[in-house]
Amino acid sequence: MLHQPSKVMDMQFELQGLRTLISEKTQLCNQLKKELAMIKRLEQDSSKLFELEGSDTLGSQFCIVPRVDGAPDISSCPAQWYRVISGGNRELISGATRLTYAPEPFDVGQLLQAEIILKADKVTVQTDGPINHASGLERYVESLMKRADIEFNVVVTQMNGNDYASKSVHVFHIGKLRVKLRKGRSTKARESYSTTMKLCGSRGGGNAAACAVFWQTRKGLSYTLAFETDRDRNAAIMLARKFASSCNVVLAGPGDQVHGGG
């Protein structure tokens, strides 16, 4: 080989390349071992795998997101949202089964909690604190109550749970004795406050949930309405509940219990 220096040089280059490759693979292997050990520790306490992204204030929207790279995919996992009421008891929020949820006035003063079914485990995440009113919202509601007619521009996105074809603007009228939905001169729905009426924030998830409400006028007829702003959405809910209370009717969402929120 002393008589063939070019071959020796080639072998030295190849050996150096192999050493570099082994070093890189070793570093990658060590990194993967660290990540695997971290994931195993997290799986032992799976509640630390995920967290709620969002603000503890009306007008925001929460989303369950992973805290670490390598967390299990939960995009197709069932979820359920709850209000944590006095004594640590939980109240199920009917219909809130997506990875996102937009708080509504009934949630004010309460902690929110979401439970994800991950394989055989239940993973629970919770807000850092109780939900707060949006700044200036109560003053806005008081100013609206001084008007003879309280109307909001809305778009009907669903009717009886099915997508609504027309995206034209409707008017949502909230009165002291009844609630009405109309388009131009045509009245789509008009109903007095009653025990069969339901009104709450939209619980179906989606990017517009913070601006949308679910309104069941009576059994067999319901709408999902999208407002122009989250402030209008929350103000409409609060106004309708105040007027319904004057008619001795508790206006809430499906399955909701009265505990003083909103």
Side-chain angles (χ1 to χ4, degrees):
M1 295 182 68
L2 293 176
H3 299 288
Q4 297 178 331
S6 61
K7 287 188 177 181
V8 174
M9 187 175 296
D10 289 343
M11 292 176 67
Q12 287 176 334
F13 281 133
E14 185 177 350
L15 182 60
Q16 183 62 41
L18 288 172
R19 285 174 176 169
T20 302
L21 181 62
I22 291 172
S23 176
E24 291 175 352
K25 294 294 184 182
T26 300
Q27 291 178 7
L28 178 60
C29 183
N30 290 335
Q31 180 63 30
L32 291 173
K33 285 180 179 179
K34 290 180 181 179
E35 292 181 3
L36 181 60
M38 179 181 65
I39 291 173
K40 285 183 177 179
R41 288 196 301 270
L42 288 169
E43 285 179 343
Q44 292 174 357
D45 185 2
S46 55
S47 63
K48 295 182 179 179
L49 282 172
F50 305 95
E51 62 183 351
L52 289 182
E53 184 178 74
S55 171
D56 299 344
T57 306
L58 280 183
S60 69
Q61 178 165 304
F62 287 109
C63 183
I64 305 170
V65 297
R67 294 183 62 182
V68 295
D69 293 336
D73 179 18
I74 58 171
S75 59
S76 59
C77 291
Q80 179 61 61
W81 291 79
Y82 298 87
R83 298 183 186 96
V84 182
I85 55 179
S86 59
N89 295 320
R90 300 194 307 181
E91 176 187 306
L92 184 144
I93 304 175
S94 178
T97 56
R98 304 293 182 89
L99 296 180
T100 58
Y101 177 73
E104 60 116 299
F106 221 45
D107 298 320
V108 171
Q110 313 295 329
L111 293 168
L112 291 178
Q113 196 177 89
E115 190 174 80
I116 317 157
I117 307 300
L118 183 60
K119 296 181 180 179
D121 297 327
K122 290 183 179 180
V123 179
T124 301
V125 289
Q126 183 172 288
T127 56
D128 294 330
I131 303 302
N132 300 305
H133 263 307
S135 177
L137 178 61
E138 293 183 272
R139 289 194 300 274
Y140 178 53
V141 171
E142 290 173 1
S143 68
L144 291 175
M145 291 185 71
K146 297 176 183 178
R147 298 182 184 179
D149 291 311
I150 305 173
E151 296 182 339
F152 300 93
N153 290 331
V154 298
V155 173
V156 179
T157 60
Q158 288 190 332
M159 178 177 176
N160 292 334
N162 299 314
D163 291 342
Y164 198 74
S166 174
K167 299 300 180 182
S168 58
V169 176
H170 290 59
V171 174
F172 191 52
H173 173 90
I174 298 176
K176 293 184 178 181
L177 300 177
R178 64 181 61 87
V179 182
K180 181 169 60 177
L181 177 68
R182 59 179 175 82
K183 179 183 177 185
R185 296 183 179 180
S186 174
T187 299
K188 300 294 184 181
R190 178 173 55 195
E191 199 74 20
S192 299
Y193 297 112
S194 68
T195 56
T196 58
M197 184 182 290
K198 304 294 180 185
L199 184 69
C200 64
S202 175
R203 298 171 179 177
N207 295 331
C211 296
V213 303
F214 169 80
W215 178 42
Q216 177 183 298
T217 63
R218 59 182 183 275
K219 289 183 178 180
L221 181 60
S222 66
Y223 296 92
T224 299
L225 309 174
F227 287 70
E228 293 179 318
T229 65
D230 59 83
R231 185 177 75 157
D232 282 349
R233 174 257 210 179
N234 292 317
I237 295 173
M238 293 171 66
L239 285 165
R241 288 176 178 168
K242 287 177 182 292
F243 292 144
S245 179
S246 298
C247 297
N248 296 317
V249 172
V250 176
L251 188 59
D256 285 341
Q257 301 174 18
V258 183
H259 47 71

